[in-house]
Amino acid sequence: MSQLPIFPFIGKTDVMSISSKFYQNPLIEAGLALSLVVHGAASMALMAHRAQAETPVREPWYVELNRAAGTVLLLAMPGHIGATRLFSLFGKWRPSEYDAIRATFVGPISLFFIPYYTILAASGIYHTCQGIVLSARRLQWIPMNWY
């Protein structure tokens, strides 16, 4: 059984077969699409609100970092969708049966993909956590001065 270097204790086949039941679920994919639409609408509304402000407001560093993380995710999304879903839709292969992930961890190509996966994971984790807090503040579910 082949193993990913980052998961030496379990096989790649196990990771892919377990996780694909979750991330390839039509309800989960629909939820992700809905999240994308809500993100787009909220981003455009906030950009319009900032553009109408008389004086530009300098946002705190964590808001700017959240925007940067969101931009990284936005730029990576087309390639990710293409690599993980489009080939299977055209009947070329199922991503869970293809060794593309393993191939990106070996050889010269790993010099690009290991930092890419690291930045992508860090951006996703930060954007999710900080986005929950920022949204809760804007919706007044938590006080603005919380942390």
Side-chain angles (χ1 to χ4, degrees):
M1 178 183 340
S2 62
Q3 295 183 347
L4 286 172
I6 55 174
F7 298 116
F9 50 89
I10 54 178
K12 175 198 78 74
T13 309
D14 297 335
V15 172
M16 296 299 280
S17 65
I18 292 167
S19 60
S20 68
K21 288 178 178 64
F22 173 76
Y23 69 78
Q24 290 181 350
N25 182 310
L27 290 175
I28 300 297
E29 288 184 336
L32 290 171
L34 178 63
S35 171
L36 180 62
V37 170
V38 169
H39 265 80
S43 294
M44 287 189 285
L46 289 170
M47 286 186 333
H49 179 72
R50 281 192 302 271
Q52 292 174 353
E54 291 181 20
T55 16
V57 176
R58 176 90 173 132
E59 297 284 0
W61 66 270
Y62 53 85
V63 174
E64 294 294 334
L65 186 58
N66 193 51
R67 284 188 193 135
T71 302
V72 167
L73 296 171
L74 178 67
L75 294 174
M77 190 181 341
H80 179 76
I81 291 170
T84 59
R85 300 305 287 151
L86 289 182
F87 288 117
S88 64
L89 289 176
F90 293 117
K92 298 296 182 191
W93 64 72
R94 288 179 42 85
S96 59
E97 297 167 355
Y98 183 63
D99 261 351
I101 294 173
R102 184 170 180 266
T104 61
F105 281 98
V106 293
I109 199 167
S110 67
L111 295 174
F112 170 78
F113 276 103
I114 290 175
Y116 167 78
Y117 290 138
T118 303
I119 292 167
L120 189 63
S123 296
I125 291 167
Y126 184 81
H127 190 72
T128 299
C129 295
Q130 190 61 38
I132 290 169
V133 172
L134 290 173
S135 297
R137 283 182 179 167
R138 286 193 179 110
L139 295 170
Q140 299 177 350
W141 292 348
I142 60 173
M144 291 300 277
N145 60 357
W146 184 74
Y147 96 81

